[in-house]
Amino acid sequence: MSFRATVLTLHPEMFPGHLGLSLAGRAVEAGTWSLEAVQIRDFATDRHRTVDDTPAGGGAGMVMRADILARAIDHVSPKGDPRPRILMSPRGKPLTQERVRELAAGPGAVILCGRFEGVDQRIIDARALEEISIGDFILSGGEPAALVLLDAVVRLLPGVMGNEVSGDEESFENGLLEHPHYTRPQEFEGRAIPEVLTSGNHAKIAAWRREQAERLTRARRPDLLAAKNQPLVK
Ligand code: SAH
């Protein structure tokens, strides 16, 4: 089964972007996933192809119209489409690796990218859009956020990442930030690779990595430890 992504956007030329390169790009060619970027303006009803209007109640900026967005959504995702309908939005639930994993296990996603001040609330309510944020900052449009979401999902699709094990140990996969990495040269500007890593003792290496991961997580992201109830090393 292949993961099918449809992105609704005013800038389809921003897709596939980097997702056309490297592992993600090869996975499209292999049929593991597909990406269709659809121009929202194609669903406008006037000859100027207008998609937005001034905010009710006044204020700066423009708001994307619910009726135009409904036509676009219903066209690409008719009733019965099992894919979740997502709106990229700074007011959304912060994206987590857990949600990324769920999405990767599903049939795909329909992703609406906002522009201007955002979208009319009624399209969110009427089409039960799942609002997802990629962080506490404001982008000028949902497109980079959609690329971020899809990047995180696609690398989890079967066969996309060469070395599956490297996925399991990564930051967040076990509720911890990942341990530090080292590679050659053995010495860099007077800094040596920690001895344990060159000891050949795999049990010791695993224990060291776990300890480092817990230390980093405790220092930088204690919220992750609290959330997962990870046992702490002393
Ligand atoms: N006025 C809005 C921001 C609009 S930014 C507010 O204050 O909440 C324009 C569009 O960029 C949004 O509709 C959304 O699609 C996208 N966007 C901006 N920041 C985002 C973020 N952190 N995560 C996901 N999408 C974001």
Side-chain angles (χ1 to χ4, degrees):
M1 194 187 64
S2 146
F3 182 93
R4 198 159 68 86
T6 303
V7 177
L8 290 165
T9 169
L10 292 175
H11 298 285
E13 67 280 8
M14 289 176 74
F15 297 87
H18 77 285
L19 296 176
L21 309 171
S22 190
L23 294 179
R26 249 174 279 156
V28 168
E29 280 164 31
T32 309
W33 75 293
S34 66
L35 172 59
E36 179 192 23
V38 175
Q39 172 57 267
I40 296 168
R41 282 194 201 284
D42 291 349
F43 300 90
T45 47
D46 65 330
R47 67 188 179 87
H48 300 293
R49 310 219 300 160
T50 307
V51 296
D52 57 338
D53 210 328
T54 52
M62 299 294 272
V63 176
M64 293 173 80
R65 284 170 50 148
D67 55 344
I68 310 296
L69 292 175
R71 281 162 53 93
I73 292 170
D74 295 346
H75 179 84
V76 301
S77 180
K79 256 207 183 84
D81 184 348
R83 295 176 297 166
R85 294 165 174 176
I86 295 167
L87 169 67
M88 303 317 303
S89 161
R91 294 188 321 201
K93 204 166 171 194
L95 184 60
T96 60
Q97 189 64 15
E98 190 183 356
R99 185 67 186 121
V100 166
R101 223 181 296 118
E102 285 169 4
L103 288 169
V110 177
I111 305 175
L112 174 58
C113 301
R115 278 268 155 185
F116 320 121
E117 288 310 311
V119 306
D120 188 309
Q121 179 63 35
R122 292 170 295 178
I123 192 60
I124 302 175
D125 301 337
R127 294 297 179 273
L129 302 182
E130 172 187 356
E131 295 181 79
I132 295 183
S133 166
I134 64 158
D136 291 345
F137 42 78
I138 305 292
L139 300 167
S140 51
E143 288 79 9
L147 288 167
V148 165
L149 172 71
L150 288 172
D151 182 307
V153 168
V154 165
R155 61 193 288 287
L156 294 186
L157 298 176
V160 174
M161 280 213 310
N163 182 356
E164 309 269 344
V165 180
S166 96
D168 297 340
E169 290 188 350
E170 261 168 354
S171 293
F172 308 119
E173 285 293 356
N174 53 12
L176 294 173
L177 301 178
E178 201 187 40
H179 56 79
H181 295 285
Y182 296 87
T183 187
R184 277 185 284 269
Q186 172 61 37
E187 197 179 302
F188 165 71
E189 297 185 350
R191 296 162 194 266
I193 295 176
E195 225 173 283
V196 55
L197 296 180
T198 47
S199 69
N201 183 331
H202 295 292
K204 266 193 168 164
I205 292 170
W208 181 87
R209 286 180 168 164
R210 173 81 191 184
E211 205 179 284
Q212 293 289 314
E214 292 187 352
R215 185 185 57 78
L216 268 175
T217 309
R218 200 166 39 225
R220 298 183 182 176
R221 294 294 304 278
D223 57 303
L224 292 177
L225 289 173
K228 292 272 174 182
N229 246 328
Q230 291 285 334
L232 293 179
V233 286
K234 277 190 234 105

